[in-house]
Amino acid sequence: MDGRVKTLHPKVHGGLLAKRSDPGHLRAMREHGITPIDLVAVNLYPFRETVARPDVTDEQAIEHIDIGGPSMLRSAAKNHTDVIVLVDPDDYAPVLAELQGGAVVAPERRRAPRAQGLRAHRGVRCSHHRPT
């Protein structure tokens, strides 16, 4: 499917959405072989840049509509108390340094509101692009 279905899987989203403090969630993870995912770093497809090119084809525009990335961001942001959400490569080094230093990344540094805003903004942009 040319990379169209990579991250849309119950084990990925289960690993992102499972509440670590909920015994029922932990039991379901064990029963279904789901591993918790503690950090999500997503670089979304450059949709705006792609459709701004004067020579872009409808097919190129369509292939730059990201499905899995925003889905993972939404799942991770919904569970931001257990999952660190990164959407900006400039955030990688500071968060990595915190983690390597043994620090627990504070909730305000987990980036969930930023991820939700970015996802919503890109969704609006995709809906405004109309193939010719």
Side-chain angles (χ1 to χ4, degrees):
M1 295 176 143
D2 302 318
R4 285 182 160 214
V5 181
K6 292 181 270 214
T7 59
L8 301 173
H9 194 281
K11 288 191 177 184
V12 171
H13 291 279
L16 292 170
L17 288 164
K19 294 179 182 178
R20 308 318 194 268
S21 62
D22 186 318
H25 285 210
L26 297 176
R27 184 173 47 257
M29 288 177 70
R30 281 191 306 276
E31 289 171 3
H32 297 284
I34 297 172
T35 303
I37 298 172
D38 299 325
L39 185 146
V40 170
V42 174
N43 295 307
L44 298 171
Y45 294 157
F47 183 78
R48 177 177 43 187
E49 294 81 0
T50 299
V51 299
R53 293 191 343 242
D55 63 334
V56 70
T57 66
D58 290 347
E59 182 64 24
Q60 290 169 327
I62 288 168
E63 291 305 317
H64 277 84
I65 296 173
D66 198 328
I67 305 299
S71 296
M72 288 191 302
L73 287 177
R74 289 186 86 165
S75 291
K78 183 171 183 170
N79 197 20
H80 68 276
T81 57
D82 291 320
V83 180
I84 298 167
V85 185
L86 300 175
V87 295
D88 184 342
D90 290 340
D91 292 334
Y92 297 176
V95 170
L96 181 61
E98 286 180 49
L99 293 172
Q100 288 176 329
V104 174
V105 178
E108 65 273 9
R109 298 254 310 143
R110 289 177 177 264
R111 312 294 196 263
R114 188 172 178 181
Q116 285 288 53
L118 179 63
R119 188 218 43 85
H121 180 66
R122 285 181 178 252
V124 168
R125 282 201 314 254
C126 289
S127 70
H128 286 286
H129 175 74
R130 300 284 186 254
T132 56

